[in-house]
Structure formats: C-alpha cells, structure tokens
Amino acid sequence: MGDLFTTFDDAWQHFLAREEPLESFYDQFPDEETDGEGWLVVPPPEVKREVLRLQAELEDVPGLEPIPHHFLHVWLGGRQGLDIEQLTEAGPFELAYPHVGCFHTAVFVEAHSERFEEVEAPEDYLPHLTIAVMRDAPDVGPVRDAVVPLRDADLGTVVVDEIVYARFPMSKTTVLQPWTVVERRSLRG
C-alpha cells in the first residue's frame, strides 16, 4: 500500500509523476468479513448526478470500477478522522466538491469545508468522495489519460445538515455492499 498523503496537491503531483501501476483498492481489506463503521456525509441527489456523469467518462478505463450509487459518501470519522463532536456542535456547514483527484487505489472528488479546518483530525485525513476504485493493479497511463481532463470538474457546494453513522460489511468481497444506518444526527439543532 502506498504512502498516505497530507495534501490533495501532493496526491495529485504523485499521480501525475507515477510510472508504476496503481494499487488494488480491495487489497487493503481482510479476506474474512468484519464490520466497518463510522460517520459519513451522504451527498445529495444533485451531487450524485454529477458523479454519475464523471463515472460515465471513466467507464471504459481498464482496471477502474465505479463506486455503486448507494455507497457514495464522504467519510468523516470512525477509528480515525475528524472529531465529530467538534464538527457538529456549530450546526450545518457548507461542503464543496471542487476537483477530481487520484490516490493509489481510487479516483475521487475532493471535499472541502472551512469547518473541516476548524476541528481536530489526523494529518493524513483528506476528506473526499470516492467515485471509482482500482480493481487489481491497472497501468497508470490510461487512468491518468482519463482523469486529467476531469481535474477541474466542480460538483458544486452544498449545505450539510445531517450526518449518519453507518455500519457496513468489510472484506475484499463485501466492502461496497449497502451499509446499515445506525444513527442519524441532525445538525439543525
């Protein structure tokens, strides 16, 4: 598994310069199923529609697999991530989706919020909306050729007024199956 990045710019520059194949998204999960769980933002329909448009641009790229519509989310925290109490105590917040990027294992849209800058989080926490993952270890060239023209895609800015705590089956074969909502937290007070 490749190094974790501390900025989206570092991730982008690494992707542009990378020569070796990308890495399988599924290799980071155990063979035996366990429960994954944590807080997340479910994007609204207008953002999901834009994701579908981007996924259509990526559908013929060898080694890329689109994230199912039901699994689109911005991860906030579980065992690591943002301090959820700090994040939610000030109410609803704006969340912008300004750029497409690529990690070792996934194509994503950056997720930016001033609120994220105000709360405690690990240095390598980069909030994002994954739109496609690497199956196996695809050559970086075709992925780069497809992703670079999408870099400046802007999915807009939305107001987040609810977050959910979800539990999902986590293994190499089950990770993208639907999650179960354990709790919903309204940020409207």
Side-chain angles (χ1 to χ4, degrees):
M1 199 64 186
D3 294 332
L4 297 177
F5 300 103
T6 57
T7 70
F8 286 117
D9 286 338
D10 286 347
W12 184 250
Q13 292 307 315
H14 182 270
F15 174 61
L16 293 178
R18 187 178 182 114
E19 294 300 323
E20 65 273 10
L22 294 158
E23 300 168 24
S24 171
F25 170 78
Y26 298 98
D27 284 352
Q28 64 189 311
F29 298 101
D31 290 325
E32 298 297 319
E33 187 174 308
T34 184
D35 278 341
E37 55 186 53
W39 289 100
L40 47 93
V41 171
V42 178
E46 62 269 22
V47 172
K48 287 184 174 186
R49 281 191 295 275
E50 288 301 307
V51 168
L52 290 173
R53 185 183 59 75
L54 291 173
Q55 288 176 328
E57 297 289 328
L58 301 171
E59 69 185 357
D60 294 328
V61 179
L64 278 187
E65 179 178 331
I67 291 291
H69 189 80
H70 67 262
F71 207 79
L72 294 171
H73 66 277
V74 176
W75 184 258
L76 297 175
R79 292 185 184 101
Q80 67 172 6
L82 296 172
D83 182 305
I84 297 303
E85 298 310 316
Q86 286 180 339
L87 178 72
T88 60
E89 68 187 12
F93 58 92
E94 288 190 344
L95 182 58
Y97 299 95
H99 297 289
V100 173
C102 191
F103 293 137
H104 307 6
T105 61
V107 178
F108 62 88
V109 178
E110 297 174 13
H112 293 271
S113 176
E114 287 183 15
R115 185 76 57 83
F116 293 166
E117 303 301 319
E118 298 168 356
V119 301
E120 293 180 31
E123 183 180 63
D124 60 3
Y125 174 71
L126 295 176
H128 61 278
L129 172 61
T130 301
I131 62 173
V133 296
M134 309 306 163
R135 178 157 295 284
D136 303 318
D139 289 334
V140 70
V143 175
R144 189 169 34 235
D145 290 346
V147 171
V148 167
L150 303 177
R151 174 70 174 154
D152 292 326
D154 187 340
L155 279 58
T157 300
V158 299
V159 173
V160 175
D161 62 3
E162 180 185 72
I163 61 173
V164 298
Y165 192 83
R167 185 171 293 123
F168 54 94
M170 189 171 71
S171 74
K172 286 182 167 117
T173 60
T174 63
V175 69
L176 298 179
Q177 290 181 3
W179 60 63
T180 301
V181 174
V182 176
E183 179 183 345
R184 293 183 183 277
R185 184 176 296 183
S186 173
L187 307 185
R188 294 222 177 262

